[in-house]
Amino acid sequence: MSEQRKIVGPFHQLVTFRGLSLRGPLRNEQLEIISNAGMIIQGGHIQEVGDYEKLVKEVDQVIELEGPCVGLPGWIDSHTHICFAGSRHLDYSARNSGDSYLEIAERGGGIWDTVQKTRIADFEHLYKLTRDRLDIQLKCGVTTVECKSGYGLNHEQELKQLRIIKRLGEERSGDIIATCLAAHMTPRDFEGKPEDYLDSILTELLPVISKEGLAQRVDIFTEKSAFSVEQSRAYLTEAAKLGFQLTVHGDQFSPGGGLLAVETNASSVDHLENTTSETIRALGSSNTVATVLPGASLGLGMKFAPSRQLLDAGAIVNIASDWNPGSAPMGDLLTQAAIMGASEKLTDAEVLAGITFRAAAALRLNDRGRLIQGSVADFNVFNVDDYREILYHQGQLKPQTVWKKGQIFGKDG
Ligand code: NIG
Ligand code: FE
């Protein structure tokens, strides 16, 4: 039995992102904004967008919006580490008292601290912690969330994280995308033998992940404190042969990962706070998405990645939260994107593209991120009459309703 055709509207403005380029600068004037718009939905997908008065005659059910409303696609957060236990407020405090992220990591804090806390959390507890963070995301309008493992760092514990992510994906019909980040750092168990650890992931862990359908993406932290460019290249090359999509934590503190991501045809390179002009040029003509993570800059008190320069060079620029307990504890994508936009001088169109269809590209998803016929009906409704109000409030303005596959997820209050 096919679901009823329903219309949602009228929207004072519907910002569709139809026809906009995946790469390079965008002016606000390029946005398709339909006034007095309606959106026809059936079976969780968008069937038509257009003039409300015309479309309202063609449906079985009308869901009328109250007051002036602006509609945009649901946000897509392409980079998070929300499957973790514990807090790293002591690291945060120590950093603000003068210690660096890398110094803290070297003395056994940092990622390793979260690994220990995540390892002792049992499945149900860690599942609930992750689900609660996913609910916070959804309430804020994030309808698709990528989630990495990487706080297990042995096979049993990485599988625990990925099975939790898979269960959440099944319960929420696919709005959480898993990535294996077993290569986050060399665990104490393999101290001094990073190649052996990477080898064990390739030969023992990734085959199980494939067999159980736990993840189709593999990530690595390419950095002095984690894995070198050479080690990362060898790992990524083999992971690609096993059929995994690639993504890289690169150029956060020192350059190298960015160019490697381009060379290995990775879906994205994420961070880029300390990238080079050569890498910016390379990303400008590459299909590897440049994912910038303002939440990590805010959490670490570092400069933002050069998103203006990346856009001007022609790169595909995506903005993600990096929500994790260490470098990016805030987790509020819209707030971070708005603040970085103001600092980097990005247009509304560039910021909003960075958390919608350009974010979908980072995850190689082509069924979402724009409000066009055939797309998944994931969208946010804001109680304002001009879309520019959204970034102006720098994250303080929350969606009045969040729609996931054509159904309301959360209402105010
Ligand atoms: O993306 N840089 C490496 N990984 C995370 C931080 C993880 C942590 O500190 O727990 C990041 O910033
Ligand atoms: Fe990260």
Side-chain angles (χ1 to χ4, degrees), residues 269-288:
V269 55
D270 303 27
H271 274 296
L272 298 167
E273 293 89 337
N274 280 297
T275 198
T276 62
S277 43
E278 187 191 358
T279 312
I280 293 172
R281 270 198 306 281
L283 286 165
S285 54
S286 162
N287 286 328
T288 298

Side-chain angles (χ1 to χ4, degrees), residues 82 130-138 145 168 172 176:
I82 58 173
T130 312
R131 185 197 56 194
D132 290 351
R133 294 184 187 117
L134 208 53
D135 281 350
I136 294 172
Q137 292 264 53
L138 270 159
V145 180
L168 284 162
R172 289 157 186 275
I176 181 161

Side-chain angles (χ1 to χ4, degrees), residues 79 81 84 88 91 95 101 110-112 114-115 148 150-151 181 184 219 221 223 225-226 249-250 252-253 270-271 273 293 296 300 322-328:
H79 181 140
H81 308 246
F84 66 86
R88 299 244 296 279
D91 287 10
R95 280 200 304 275
Y101 182 78
I111 295 170
W112 187 247
T114 300
V115 169
K148 301 173 194 299
Y151 292 126
L181 179 56
H184 204 179
D219 196 348
F221 188 16
E223 191 52 64
S225 63
H249 275 71
Q252 183 180 14
F253 301 102
D270 303 27
H271 274 296
E273 293 89 337
L293 306 170
L300 297 176
D322 196 19
W323 190 358
N324 73 72
S327 62

Side-chain angles (χ1 to χ4, degrees), residues 53-72:
E53 305 309 333
K54 177 176 164 279
L55 296 184
V56 77
K57 298 185 188 115
E58 302 173 11
V59 294
D60 311 306
Q61 190 192 359
V62 177
I63 300 174
E64 209 172 322
L65 299 172
E66 284 164 28
C69 285
V70 173
L72 299 103

